[in-house]
């Protein structure tokens, strides 16, 4: 095994080439005519073309027909010496499948400073795009849920201006959703004490100011737009972003006489988080850090001067130290460790959730002399998943606890969800209903005009 001094004499260009080849991202270069001049193993894995197939071919082999104009624009910018950061687009694999990617394109200059080509780093963001679409769909489903529950729901922005009213809120306040949009909440939700007739402090105002959930005092009356009054019970809760800062408030209320035993509905909307640059680090087989890129500085907080020469355990939490010997054993066998999710520690002591790809670095004779690590910060994604799970749980809990029947159907009118109250009303167990059509569950509807209209619309 080479010692640290022997490793330090490892040719810099070959070390960088080994790191590039071990990258999970596609890294390639092209000349100003758009001809590919280099192609790493990450590009082979991501796009399917081998080096032999790619080098010498035009870059258009991986550009969809509808993106052809982009290449001409990119080449013009590169000739001016411009760098193109995090450009999201699509590229074609050898199989013809289009994938979502994030590109960073930089000009390559010769010793005289003349632009002679470009390097591209291509990151597959198909999974992130899919997650974003799933989060958007979940958000839409949650908004539909809020619109369909039996309590009144009003949502505001951070300035206390209305952004959403569900049908029950519209009925109780007398305001249509379009009329209430962007109006101050106090104009829409006017409440007074039932006995003194004095104006009551709006709980949403305090929820925003103090960043806490606030319940309404007893004997509160809602005065609607047209003077209709009803005794209500409610609560207001702040909607927080990923940093815990209030970005709005959700107000849930009900007419006490009709919903005395119902619990207030609560809702949170989830945020989508952006990914950060990856950390690329190399180490010898004793675990000593050999190289440390800017991504590692951003993620872990240590500069290259602080990190190089130190043991990799400086970023490994005590409860994860057992991972390093196992990883080193696999590397000595020239094994690659793909997408290993774990936790690492920054200079400040905070824990960072990461996805690691660890690859052996080989010398000219094929001997393993070290390893490269690509650490992708997935803390935001993990946090978003936990928040989404918690949000879904809370919405489901609301539906499970309200004293009204709630059912949802797919386009074929098959039950997809039945809450306990609805199951009681149907005199069936939820598991007996899910997947069955409305007509199978309630045969008396089979010959109604309602079903006929449904079949006509199909």
């Amino acid at each position: 095994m080479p010692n640290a001094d022997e490793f330090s004499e490892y040719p810099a260009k070959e070390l960088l080439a080994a790191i590039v080849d071990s990258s999970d991202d596609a890294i390639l270069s092209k000349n100003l005519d758009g001809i590919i001049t280099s192609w790493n193993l990450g590009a082979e894995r991501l796009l399917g073309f081998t080096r032999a197939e790619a080098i010498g071919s035009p870059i258009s082999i991986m550009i969809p027909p509808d993106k052809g104009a982009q290449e001409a624009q990119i080449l013009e910018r590169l000739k001016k010496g411009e760098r193109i950061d995090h450009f999201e687009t699509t590229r074609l694999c050898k199989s013809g499948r289009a994938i979502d990617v994030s590109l960073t394109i930089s000009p390559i200059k010769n010793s005289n400073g003349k632009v002679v080509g470009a390097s591209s780093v291509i990151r597959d963001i198909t999974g992130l795009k899919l997650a974003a679409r799933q989060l958007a769909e979940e958000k839409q489903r949650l908004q539909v849920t809020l619109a369909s529950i039996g309590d009144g729901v009003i949502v505001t922005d951070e300035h206390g201006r209305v952004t959403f009213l569900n049908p029950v809120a519209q009925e109780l306040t007398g305001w249509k959703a379009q009329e209430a949009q962007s109006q101050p909440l106090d104009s829409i939700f006017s409440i007074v004490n039932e006995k003194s007739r004095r104006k009551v402090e709006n709980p949403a105002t305090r929820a925003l100011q103090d960043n806490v959930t606030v319940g309404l005092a007893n004997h509160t009356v809602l005065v609607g737009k047209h003077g209709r009054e009803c005794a209500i019970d409610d609560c207001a809760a702040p909607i927080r972003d990923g940093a815990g800062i209030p970005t709005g408030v959700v107000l849930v209320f009900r007419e006490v006489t009709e919903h005395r035993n119902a619990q207030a509905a609560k809702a949170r909307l989830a945020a989508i988080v952006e990914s950060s640059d990856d950390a690329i680090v190399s180490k010898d087989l004793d675990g000593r850090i050999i190289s440390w890129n800017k991504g590692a500085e951003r993620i872990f907080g240590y500069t290259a001067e602080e990190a190089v020469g130190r043991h990799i355990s400086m970023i490994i939490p005590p409860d994860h130290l057992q991972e390093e010997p196992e990883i080193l054993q696999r590397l000595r066998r020239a094994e690659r460790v793909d997408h290993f999710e774990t936790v690492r520690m920054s200079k400040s002591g905070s824990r960072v959730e990461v996805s690691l790809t660890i690859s052996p670095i080989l010398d000219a004779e094929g001997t393993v002399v070290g390893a490269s690590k690509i650490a992708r910060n997935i803390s935001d994604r993990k946090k978003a998943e936990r928040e989404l799970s918690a949000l879904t749980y809370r919405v489901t809990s609301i539906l499970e606890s309200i004293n009204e029947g709630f059912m949802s159907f797919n386009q074929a009118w098959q039950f997809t969800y039945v809450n306990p109250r609805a199951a009681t009303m149907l005199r069936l167990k939820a598991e007996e209903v899910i997947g069955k059509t409305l007509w199978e569950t309630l045969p008396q509807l089979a010959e109604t005009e309602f079903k006929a209209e449904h079949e006509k619309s199909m």
Side-chain angles (χ1 to χ4, degrees):
M1 179 192 303
N3 58 34
D5 291 336
E6 292 172 330
F7 192 95
S8 64
E9 295 175 358
Y10 190 60
K13 290 184 179 180
E14 294 184 16
L15 175 60
L16 292 175
I19 292 174
V20 167
D21 245 353
S22 68
S23 172
D24 211 32
D25 293 338
I27 302 176
L28 58 100
S29 62
K30 61 184 177 183
N31 63 24
L32 293 181
D33 293 323
I35 302 301
I36 298 169
T37 55
S38 70
W39 188 266
N40 78 336
L41 292 177
E44 291 191 4
R45 288 190 293 269
L46 180 61
L47 299 167
F49 296 97
T50 65
R51 274 197 179 98
E53 293 171 325
I55 293 177
S57 298
I59 197 71
S60 58
I61 64 172
M62 52 180 277
I63 299 177
D66 62 336
K67 303 292 183 183
Q70 289 178 352
E71 181 63 15
Q73 296 170 359
I74 289 170
L75 287 174
E76 285 301 315
R77 292 181 62 184
L78 288 170
K79 289 174 183 177
K80 298 175 184 177
E82 296 181 22
R83 173 185 168 91
I84 303 169
D85 281 317
H86 304 301
F87 173 62
E88 293 191 0
T89 184
T90 56
R91 288 295 179 259
L92 288 178
C93 299
K94 180 180 179 180
S95 65
R97 181 173 65 92
I99 58 173
D100 294 308
V101 298
S102 173
L103 296 182
T104 297
I105 307 176
S106 304
I108 299 174
K109 299 179 181 179
N110 62 16
S111 58
N112 297 321
K114 181 181 178 181
V115 177
V116 295
S119 65
S120 298
V121 179
I122 306 176
R123 179 168 301 160
D124 184 359
I125 59 172
T126 305
L128 290 176
K129 289 288 188 180
L130 176 60
R133 288 193 293 271
Q134 290 173 338
L135 284 171
E137 291 170 0
E138 186 64 21
K139 177 180 176 180
Q140 180 62 29
R141 283 194 291 271
L142 294 177
Q143 287 182 324
V144 170
T145 299
L146 289 178
S148 62
I149 67 174
D151 290 348
V153 179
I154 301 177
V155 179
T156 76
D157 61 18
E158 66 272 24
H159 302 297
R161 295 188 176 274
V162 174
T163 59
F164 174 80
L165 274 81
N166 77 340
V168 176
Q170 294 178 56
E171 179 184 352
L172 294 179
T173 63
W175 285 81
K176 298 295 184 184
Q178 297 86 345
E179 299 172 327
Q181 191 73 24
S182 299
Q183 293 289 333
L185 180 60
D186 284 338
S187 299
I188 308 302
F189 189 74
S190 178
I191 50 178
V192 299
N193 183 274
E194 184 178 22
K195 296 180 180 179
S196 68
R197 308 300 298 177
R198 292 179 181 175
K199 189 173 181 63
V200 175
E201 179 187 13
N202 196 311
T205 302
R206 186 180 162 201
L208 271 176
Q209 291 175 345
D210 299 341
N211 196 14
V212 295
T213 299
V214 181
L216 193 65
N218 294 329
H219 311 296
T220 300
V221 170
L222 171 65
V223 181
K225 181 180 180 182
H226 303 295
R228 176 180 178 268
E229 296 185 2
C230 61
I232 62 166
D233 185 17
D234 75 352
C235 70
I239 299 172
R240 304 181 181 93
D241 63 14
I245 298 172
T247 59
V249 67
V250 56
L251 180 67
V252 182
F253 60 99
R254 61 188 178 278
E255 189 171 0
V256 176
T257 54
E258 297 179 3
H259 307 287
R260 190 174 302 272
N261 298 319
Q263 295 183 347
K266 297 180 180 179
R268 298 288 196 278
L269 298 178
I272 300 175
V273 184
E274 295 181 352
S275 63
S276 62
D277 292 335
D278 294 344
I280 302 178
V281 178
S282 64
K283 62 181 181 180
D284 64 20
L285 292 180
D286 292 323
R288 284 189 292 271
I289 296 169
I290 303 302
S291 68
W292 187 266
N293 77 335
K294 292 292 183 182
E297 290 187 7
R298 286 190 292 270
I299 292 176
F300 300 117
Y302 296 95
T303 64
E305 291 76 16
E306 293 172 318
V308 173
R310 295 181 63 181
H311 197 273
I312 195 70
S313 60
M314 74 176 192
I315 63 169
I316 303 177
D319 56 335
H320 285 265
L321 285 173
Q322 77 284 354
E323 294 174 356
E324 186 62 13
E326 297 172 3
I327 290 171
L328 288 173
Q329 286 181 9
R330 294 184 62 179
L331 289 170
R332 290 187 180 102
R333 297 194 296 267
E335 294 181 17
R336 175 185 171 92
V337 182
D338 279 319
H339 304 300
F340 172 54
E341 294 192 359
T342 184
V343 177
R344 291 296 179 256
M345 190 165 56
S346 69
K347 182 179 179 180
S348 66
S350 61
R351 294 165 74 90
V352 183
E353 294 177 285
V354 296
S355 174
L356 295 182
T357 296
I358 308 172
S359 304
I361 296 176
L362 309 178
D363 64 13
E365 287 73 38
T367 303
V368 178
V369 294
S372 68
K373 288 190 176 185
I374 300 176
R376 180 163 299 171
N377 188 344
I378 60 171
S379 299
D380 288 342
R381 175 169 66 82
K382 287 290 188 180
K383 182 178 179 182
E385 289 173 357
R386 289 191 291 269
E387 288 180 353
L388 179 60
S389 177
L391 176 58
T392 303
Y393 174 78
R394 285 194 290 272
V395 171
T396 302
S397 297
I398 289 171
L399 296 178
E400 294 288 321
S401 62
I402 61 176
N403 197 29
E404 292 186 356
F406 181 87
M407 298 171 283
S408 62
F409 304 87
N410 59 21
Q411 291 182 333
W413 284 97
Q414 294 172 314
F415 285 89
T416 58
Y417 175 78
V418 177
N419 74 347
R421 179 58 179 162
T424 301
M425 295 167 65
L426 293 171
R427 298 181 181 179
L428 293 169
K429 295 180 179 179
E431 56 268 24
E432 296 174 337
V433 176
I434 302 302
K436 292 186 178 180
T437 65
L438 182 60
W439 333 115
E440 292 173 320
T441 307
L442 300 173
Q444 60 269 35
L445 294 179
E447 304 302 327
T448 62
E449 293 182 6
F450 177 67
K451 183 178 180 183
E453 287 298 320
H454 164 69
E455 292 175 341
K456 186 186 301 182
S457 66
M458 294 298 287

